[in-house]
């Protein structure tokens, strides 16, 4: 069964391919991209919404995986949370979201504050629906450092590290990332579904 990623985000596609070591096809290679309204109240709900929407369009011969992920900063009332991808507005870029979060941290008068990433990965196939989670804890800082990764990586310092994810090599990031942890849990489910 072909594995299809319910995302067109090039950063996510690259990370999924690296972490799963599987041939993954972005859904946009198979069907015309369409708008999926992510109106769930959790990362898991939004991941399932995306995976179900793509699965329904593609049909039973596919395994569709989707993730919804984001960063949560308790000092900001747990923002941006599920709104991480559109924190600075509906069509905001990664850079606009990043600098809005930096600005909000500065307003609180701190240079560094606890934060965590969450990744929910949904898997939808003819055998059923599954959701797994991964988390990464650390701190966010009030300045961008590094140009690796994407999203909020330039301001997030994982526990036990002194550099941002934007400064770390991908080999290190993949071992500690929220998405890597969730994908490690998703991999046996995907293998089971492929061998049915």
């Amino acid at each position: 069964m072909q594995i299809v990623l319910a995302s067109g985000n090039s950063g996510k596609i690259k990370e999924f391919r690296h972490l799963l070591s599987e041939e993954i096809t972005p859904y946009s290679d198979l069907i015309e991209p369409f708008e999926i309204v992510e109106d769930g109240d959790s990362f898991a709900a939004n991941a399932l919404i995306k995976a179900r929407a793509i699965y329904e369009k593609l049909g039973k011969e596919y395994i569709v995986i989707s993730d919804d992920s984001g960063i949560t900063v308790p000092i900001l009332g747990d923002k941006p949370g599920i709104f991480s991808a559109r924190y600075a507005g509906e069509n905001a870029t990664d850079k606009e979201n990043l600098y809005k979060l930096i600005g909000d941290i500065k307003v609180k008068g701190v240079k560094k504050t606890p934060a965590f990433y969450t990744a929910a990965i949904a898997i939808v196939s003819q055998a059923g629906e599954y959701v797994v989670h991964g988390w990464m804890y650390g701190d966010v800082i009030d300045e961008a450092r590094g140009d690796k990764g994407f999203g909020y990586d330039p301001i997030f310092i994982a526990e036990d590290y002194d550099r941002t994810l934007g400064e770390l090599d991908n080999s290190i990031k993949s071992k500690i990332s929220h998405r890597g942890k969730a994908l490690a849990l998703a991999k046996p489910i995907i293998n089971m579904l492929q061998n049915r």
Side-chain angles (χ1 to χ4, degrees):
M1 288 189 143
Q2 189 171 2
I3 302 170
V4 176
L5 181 60
S7 177
N9 181 308
S10 61
K12 283 186 184 181
I13 293 165
K14 185 177 177 183
E15 194 169 3
F16 270 78
R17 284 181 174 152
H18 174 74
L19 292 169
L20 277 180
S21 304
E22 300 275 351
E23 194 53 44
I24 296 173
T25 305
Y27 88 96
S28 56
D29 286 2
L30 301 171
I31 58 176
E32 191 69 33
F34 61 99
E35 183 179 357
I36 300 170
V37 177
E38 297 175 46
D39 57 0
D41 61 359
S42 68
F43 292 111
N46 284 331
L48 275 168
I49 288 168
K50 289 185 276 192
R52 286 174 183 150
I54 302 300
Y55 180 76
E56 287 171 10
K57 294 253 187 204
L58 289 175
K60 294 182 178 180
E61 64 274 10
Y62 296 94
I63 298 170
V64 178
I65 59 176
S66 173
D67 96 311
D68 196 49
S69 57
I71 193 166
T72 301
V73 183
I75 198 172
L76 298 177
D78 293 336
K79 292 179 183 173
I82 62 171
F83 303 104
S84 293
R86 50 194 182 278
Y87 190 49
E90 198 59 43
N91 297 309
T93 65
D94 278 358
K95 189 170 262 190
E96 290 167 335
N97 288 326
L98 173 68
Y99 283 99
K100 174 168 176 33
L101 186 54
I102 289 172
D104 289 352
I105 292 165
K106 286 182 177 182
V107 165
K108 292 294 184 180
V110 297
K111 292 206 156 294
K112 182 175 168 180
T113 189
F116 62 94
Y117 272 112
T118 303
I121 296 180
I123 305 161
V124 176
S125 76
Q126 64 184 357
E129 299 179 347
Y130 306 85
V131 178
V132 295
H133 288 84
W135 289 271
M136 180 172 44
Y137 295 89
D139 294 300
V140 288
I141 58 174
D142 69 346
E143 64 176 331
R145 295 191 332 220
D147 57 5
K148 295 179 181 144
F150 61 99
Y152 299 99
D153 289 355
I155 63 168
F156 188 86
I157 300 173
E159 284 181 343
D160 302 322
Y161 288 84
D162 59 3
R163 293 183 291 161
T164 70
L165 297 179
E167 296 171 304
L168 293 176
D169 289 332
N170 282 337
S171 61
I172 295 170
K173 182 184 169 190
S174 66
K175 291 177 186 169
I176 64 172
S177 83
H178 54 303
R179 193 170 290 112
K181 291 172 184 174
L183 282 170
L185 296 172
K187 192 167 187 169
I189 297 168
I190 293 167
N191 289 341
M192 176 208 50
L193 294 171
Q194 286 183 308
N195 296 319
R196 287 188 71 125

PDB file of all heavy atoms in Angstrom, residues 88-102:
ATOM      1  N   ALA A  88       0.369  34.476  13.278  1.00  0.00           N
ATOM      2  CA  ALA A  88       0.422  35.879  12.862  1.00  0.00           C
ATOM      3  C   ALA A  88      -0.681  36.229  11.860  1.00  0.00           C
ATOM      4  O   ALA A  88      -0.691  37.326  11.303  1.00  0.00           O
ATOM      5  CB  ALA A  88       1.793  36.191  12.257  1.00  0.00           C
ATOM      6  N   GLY A  89      -1.596  35.305  11.621  1.00  0.00           N
ATOM      7  CA  GLY A  89      -2.683  35.551  10.678  1.00  0.00           C
ATOM      8  C   GLY A  89      -2.884  34.358   9.772  1.00  0.00           C
ATOM      9  O   GLY A  89      -2.031  33.473   9.672  1.00  0.00           O
ATOM     10  N   GLU A  90      -4.009  34.320   9.118  1.00  0.00           N
ATOM     11  CA  GLU A  90      -4.427  33.158   8.322  1.00  0.00           C
ATOM     12  C   GLU A  90      -3.418  32.749   7.253  1.00  0.00           C
ATOM     13  O   GLU A  90      -3.169  31.581   7.060  1.00  0.00           O
ATOM     14  CB  GLU A  90      -5.792  33.435   7.688  1.00  0.00           C
ATOM     15  CG  GLU A  90      -6.504  32.194   7.226  1.00  0.00           C
ATOM     16  CD  GLU A  90      -6.786  31.169   8.321  1.00  0.00           C
ATOM     17  OE1 GLU A  90      -7.196  31.556   9.429  1.00  0.00           O
ATOM     18  OE2 GLU A  90      -6.589  29.961   8.067  1.00  0.00           O
ATOM     19  N   ASN A  91      -2.834  33.687   6.556  1.00  0.00           N
ATOM     20  CA  ASN A  91      -1.886  33.362   5.488  1.00  0.00           C
ATOM     21  C   ASN A  91      -0.453  33.741   5.838  1.00  0.00           C
ATOM     22  O   ASN A  91       0.363  33.998   4.953  1.00  0.00           O
ATOM     23  CB  ASN A  91      -2.318  34.045   4.179  1.00  0.00           C
ATOM     24  CG  ASN A  91      -3.656  33.534   3.695  1.00  0.00           C
ATOM     25  OD1 ASN A  91      -3.864  32.333   3.590  1.00  0.00           O
ATOM     26  ND2 ASN A  91      -4.584  34.439   3.424  1.00  0.00           N
ATOM     27  N   ALA A  92      -0.148  33.742   7.115  1.00  0.00           N
ATOM     28  CA  ALA A  92       1.185  34.159   7.579  1.00  0.00           C
ATOM     29  C   ALA A  92       2.250  33.151   7.158  1.00  0.00           C
ATOM     30  O   ALA A  92       1.996  31.951   7.062  1.00  0.00           O
ATOM     31  CB  ALA A  92       1.182  34.305   9.092  1.00  0.00           C
ATOM     32  N   THR A  93       3.447  33.660   6.921  1.00  0.00           N
ATOM     33  CA  THR A  93       4.592  32.805   6.607  1.00  0.00           C
ATOM     34  C   THR A  93       5.216  32.299   7.908  1.00  0.00           C
ATOM     35  O   THR A  93       4.931  32.823   8.997  1.00  0.00           O
ATOM     36  CB  THR A  93       5.665  33.589   5.825  1.00  0.00           C
ATOM     37  OG1 THR A  93       6.177  34.624   6.685  1.00  0.00           O
ATOM     38  CG2 THR A  93       5.097  34.200   4.556  1.00  0.00           C
ATOM     39  N   ASP A  94       6.106  31.298   7.774  1.00  0.00           N
ATOM     40  CA  ASP A  94       6.843  30.815   8.941  1.00  0.00           C
ATOM     41  C   ASP A  94       7.564  31.962   9.636  1.00  0.00           C
ATOM     42  O   ASP A  94       7.569  32.064  10.863  1.00  0.00           O
ATOM     43  CB  ASP A  94       7.871  29.746   8.533  1.00  0.00           C
ATOM     44  CG  ASP A  94       7.273  28.360   8.381  1.00  0.00           C
ATOM     45  OD1 ASP A  94       6.054  28.180   8.616  1.00  0.00           O
ATOM     46  OD2 ASP A  94       8.034  27.432   8.038  1.00  0.00           O
ATOM     47  N   LYS A  95       8.178  32.819   8.847  1.00  0.00           N
ATOM     48  CA  LYS A  95       8.955  33.934   9.410  1.00  0.00           C
ATOM     49  C   LYS A  95       8.046  34.913  10.156  1.00  0.00           C
ATOM     50  O   LYS A  95       8.392  35.394  11.242  1.00  0.00           O
ATOM     51  CB  LYS A  95       9.722  34.646   8.291  1.00  0.00           C
ATOM     52  CG  LYS A  95      10.719  35.669   8.804  1.00  0.00           C
ATOM     53  CD  LYS A  95      11.612  36.173   7.701  1.00  0.00           C
ATOM     54  CE  LYS A  95      12.885  35.370   7.815  1.00  0.00           C
ATOM     55  NZ  LYS A  95      13.970  35.843   6.981  1.00  0.00           N
ATOM     56  N   GLU A  96       6.873  35.213   9.599  1.00  0.00           N
ATOM     57  CA  GLU A  96       5.940  36.123  10.279  1.00  0.00           C
ATOM     58  C   GLU A  96       5.457  35.527  11.604  1.00  0.00           C
ATOM     59  O   GLU A  96       5.373  36.230  12.621  1.00  0.00           O
ATOM     60  CB  GLU A  96       4.746  36.433   9.363  1.00  0.00           C
ATOM     61  CG  GLU A  96       5.115  37.299   8.176  1.00  0.00           C
ATOM     62  CD  GLU A  96       4.036  37.349   7.107  1.00  0.00           C
ATOM     63  OE1 GLU A  96       3.217  36.411   7.002  1.00  0.00           O
ATOM     64  OE2 GLU A  96       4.022  38.353   6.354  1.00  0.00           O
ATOM     65  N   ASN A  97       5.161  34.232  11.601  1.00  0.00           N
ATOM     66  CA  ASN A  97       4.749  33.557  12.838  1.00  0.00           C
ATOM     67  C   ASN A  97       5.866  33.591  13.872  1.00  0.00           C
ATOM     68  O   ASN A  97       5.639  33.868  15.053  1.00  0.00           O
ATOM     69  CB  ASN A  97       4.346  32.104  12.557  1.00  0.00           C
ATOM     70  CG  ASN A  97       3.037  31.993  11.825  1.00  0.00           C
ATOM     71  OD1 ASN A  97       2.130  32.789  12.014  1.00  0.00           O
ATOM     72  ND2 ASN A  97       2.927  30.988  10.977  1.00  0.00           N
ATOM     73  N   LEU A  98       7.082  33.305  13.425  1.00  0.00           N
ATOM     74  CA  LEU A  98       8.250  33.298  14.305  1.00  0.00           C
ATOM     75  C   LEU A  98       8.429  34.661  14.970  1.00  0.00           C
ATOM     76  O   LEU A  98       8.570  34.753  16.201  1.00  0.00           O
ATOM     77  CB  LEU A  98       9.510  32.936  13.499  1.00  0.00           C
ATOM     78  CG  LEU A  98      10.849  33.049  14.225  1.00  0.00           C
ATOM     79  CD1 LEU A  98      10.972  31.998  15.307  1.00  0.00           C
ATOM     80  CD2 LEU A  98      11.995  32.916  13.218  1.00  0.00           C
ATOM     81  N   TYR A  99       8.396  35.723  14.179  1.00  0.00           N
ATOM     82  CA  TYR A  99       8.646  37.047  14.739  1.00  0.00           C
ATOM     83  C   TYR A  99       7.478  37.563  15.576  1.00  0.00           C
ATOM     84  O   TYR A  99       7.687  38.355  16.507  1.00  0.00           O
ATOM     85  CB  TYR A  99       9.094  38.023  13.651  1.00  0.00           C
ATOM     86  CG  TYR A  99      10.545  37.750  13.313  1.00  0.00           C
ATOM     87  CD1 TYR A  99      10.900  37.001  12.199  1.00  0.00           C
ATOM     88  CD2 TYR A  99      11.559  38.174  14.169  1.00  0.00           C
ATOM     89  CE1 TYR A  99      12.225  36.698  11.933  1.00  0.00           C
ATOM     90  CE2 TYR A  99      12.888  37.870  13.910  1.00  0.00           C
ATOM     91  CZ  TYR A  99      13.216  37.135  12.799  1.00  0.00           C
ATOM     92  OH  TYR A  99      14.531  36.823  12.554  1.00  0.00           O
ATOM     93  N   LYS A 100       6.272  37.105  15.322  1.00  0.00           N
ATOM     94  CA  LYS A 100       5.158  37.449  16.222  1.00  0.00           C
ATOM     95  C   LYS A 100       5.399  36.806  17.582  1.00  0.00           C
ATOM     96  O   LYS A 100       5.217  37.445  18.624  1.00  0.00           O
ATOM     97  CB  LYS A 100       3.807  37.019  15.658  1.00  0.00           C
ATOM     98  CG  LYS A 100       2.688  37.268  16.687  1.00  0.00           C
ATOM     99  CD  LYS A 100       1.314  37.140  16.126  1.00  0.00           C
ATOM    100  CE  LYS A 100       0.186  37.294  17.118  1.00  0.00           C
ATOM    101  NZ  LYS A 100       0.347  38.186  18.230  1.00  0.00           N
ATOM    102  N   LEU A 101       5.820  35.536  17.587  1.00  0.00           N
ATOM    103  CA  LEU A 101       6.070  34.865  18.863  1.00  0.00           C
ATOM    104  C   LEU A 101       7.223  35.535  19.610  1.00  0.00           C
ATOM    105  O   LEU A 101       7.142  35.760  20.821  1.00  0.00           O
ATOM    106  CB  LEU A 101       6.350  33.375  18.647  1.00  0.00           C
ATOM    107  CG  LEU A 101       6.485  32.532  19.920  1.00  0.00           C
ATOM    108  CD1 LEU A 101       5.279  32.682  20.830  1.00  0.00           C
ATOM    109  CD2 LEU A 101       6.700  31.070  19.560  1.00  0.00           C
ATOM    110  N   ILE A 102       8.284  35.895  18.901  1.00  0.00           N
ATOM    111  CA  ILE A 102       9.398  36.612  19.534  1.00  0.00           C
ATOM    112  C   ILE A 102       8.882  37.918  20.158  1.00  0.00           C
ATOM    113  O   ILE A 102       9.213  38.244  21.304  1.00  0.00           O
ATOM    114  CB  ILE A 102      10.532  36.888  18.523  1.00  0.00           C
ATOM    115  CG1 ILE A 102      11.261  35.584  18.174  1.00  0.00           C
ATOM    116  CG2 ILE A 102      11.520  37.917  19.075  1.00  0.00           C
ATOM    117  CD1 ILE A 102      12.268  35.716  17.029  1.00  0.00           C
TER     118      ILE A 102
END
